[in-house]
Amino acid sequence: GDSVTQMEGPVTLSEEAFLTINCTYTATGYPSLFWYVQYPGEGLQLLLKATKADDKGSNKGFEATYRKETTSFHLEKGSVQVSDSAVYFCALSDDSWGKFQFGAGTQVVVTP
Amino acid sequence: SAVISQKPSRDICQRGTSLTIQCQVDSQVTMMFWYRQQPGQSLTLIATANQGSEATYESGFVIDKFPISRPNLTFSTLTVSNMSPEDSSIYLCSVEGALGTGELFFGEGSRLTVL
């Protein structure tokens, strides 16, 4: 079945550092790929998405490119802020009926 | 986007009891989804709830343990029955975004602790 694997956390960074969170997937079809973020005390929010190979999703300075050849969707941000401290989930959806597979989540802690 | 409200936001429950979680959406939606997020783990889909029909459960989840109601297009409930400490989790209600976008919107979750 479909699955998502993302790097374990916690990832601790200093403010303005470069952030990468690796995400790889297995899927039988052509999934859409997502990154969700969960800030402390809040629900999950969509951060960005890509629906086909070579698409780049971007939002709030974060980027991720859908790489079909490496089945990856790594999340990057060039300069993190303390406010980026959160748990980040990589996810895929292989159909249009809301059935998602989520990665285990990666906690990111950004220190001043 | 959709605004989703869940109640309760958190609760502490005794073993063997049942608790019903409510999910209210600010717009009419066809499908609502219930997820579980166990401590330190990812989200797992419990079931999909359509209005007017029985919920569809994922492997490992059964109606007797997690009965779901979907009385209208803006509301759903999930009951966690005969709870044990292993049921301590965050339970999340979600709905799909506009048709074709493939996005999910989530409530803030209901954090249950079973003693």
Side-chain angles (χ1 to χ4, degrees), chain A residues 85-104:
Chain A
S85 297
V87 181
Y88 293 81
F89 292 91
C90 186
L92 69 80
S93 175
D94 209 4
D95 60 39
S96 60
W97 296 109
K99 292 179 68 171
F100 280 52
Q101 291 291 332
F102 284 86

Side-chain angles (χ1 to χ4, degrees), chain A:
Chain A
D2 296 351
S3 66
V4 176
T5 302
Q6 63 181 104
M7 64 188 285
E8 291 187 20
V11 174
T12 303
L13 303 163
S14 298
E15 209 165 19
E16 299 183 3
F18 183 86
L19 170 68
T20 298
I21 305 175
N22 290 339
C23 171
T24 57
Y25 68 90
T26 58
T28 52
Y30 300 94
S32 294
L33 302 175
F34 305 82
W35 277 100
Y36 279 82
V37 58
Q38 187 175 32
Y39 297 106
E42 299 184 17
L44 274 79
Q45 304 171 24
L46 178 66
L47 180 60
L48 54 84
K49 68 175 185 178
T51 57
K52 61 183 188 298
D54 300 326
D55 270 2
K56 178 186 284 188
S58 60
N59 186 25
K60 298 182 180 181
F62 290 89
E63 293 183 341
T65 301
Y66 190 142
R67 300 285 188 199
K68 191 169 184 294
E69 63 276 13
T70 54
T71 62
S72 64
F73 193 54
H74 304 322
L75 182 69
E76 296 181 338
K77 185 172 185 181
S79 177
V80 294
Q81 305 299 313
V82 173
S83 58
D84 293 324
S85 297
V87 181
Y88 293 81
F89 292 91
C90 186
L92 69 80
S93 175
D94 209 4
D95 60 39
S96 60
W97 296 109
K99 292 179 68 171
F100 280 52
Q101 291 291 332
F102 284 86
T106 302
Q107 183 178 13
V108 173
V109 178
V110 181
T111 58

Side-chain angles (χ1 to χ4, degrees), chain A residues 32 34 36 38 41-46 49 51 87 89-90 93 95-105, chain B residues 30-31 33 35 37 40-45 48 58 90 92 96 99-109:
Chain A
S32 294
F34 305 82
Y36 279 82
Q38 187 175 32
E42 299 184 17
L44 274 79
Q45 304 171 24
L46 178 66
K49 68 175 185 178
T51 57
V87 181
F89 292 91
C90 186
S93 175
D95 60 39
S96 60
W97 296 109
K99 292 179 68 171
F100 280 52
Q101 291 291 332
F102 284 86
Chain B
T30 303
M31 305 176 81
F33 308 93
Y35 281 84
Q37 184 180 12
Q41 298 188 30
S42 184
L43 284 75
T44 303
L45 181 63
T48 303
E58 297 300 305
I90 299 173
L92 295 148
E96 197 169 19
L99 188 64
T101 63
E103 300 174 27
L104 281 184
F105 295 97
F106 287 88
E108 292 184 1

Side-chain angles (χ1 to χ4, degrees), chain B:
Chain B
S1 64
V3 177
I4 304 170
S5 303
Q6 279 187 240
K7 292 181 185 178
S9 58
R10 59 178 62 232
D11 206 340
I12 299 173
C13 309
Q14 296 299 316
R15 182 194 299 259
T17 63
S18 299
L19 182 79
T20 296
I21 302 167
Q22 299 180 4
C23 178
Q24 179 76 51
V25 188
D26 69 343
S27 58
Q28 293 185 341
V29 293
T30 303
M31 305 176 81
M32 296 175 76
F33 308 93
W34 286 98
Y35 281 84
R36 180 173 73 182
Q37 184 180 12
Q38 292 180 298
Q41 298 188 30
S42 184
L43 284 75
T44 303
L45 181 63
I46 297 172
T48 303
N50 286 334
Q51 191 262 339
S53 63
E54 281 201 1
T56 302
Y57 289 83
E58 297 300 305
S59 176
F61 298 96
V62 295
I63 188 171
D64 289 346
K65 176 66 176 178
F66 297 101
I68 288 171
S69 78
R70 182 78 201 275
N72 58 52
L73 291 173
T74 63
F75 187 79
S76 178
T77 68
L78 169 76
T79 299
V80 186
S81 303
N82 188 24
M83 286 185 285
S84 66
E86 292 72 33
D87 294 319
S88 298
S89 289
I90 299 173
Y91 293 85
L92 295 148
C93 173
S94 69
V95 303
E96 197 169 19
L99 188 64
T101 63
E103 300 174 27
L104 281 184
F105 295 97
F106 287 88
E108 292 184 1
S110 299
R111 182 184 293 271
L112 302 188
T113 302
V114 184
L115 303 178

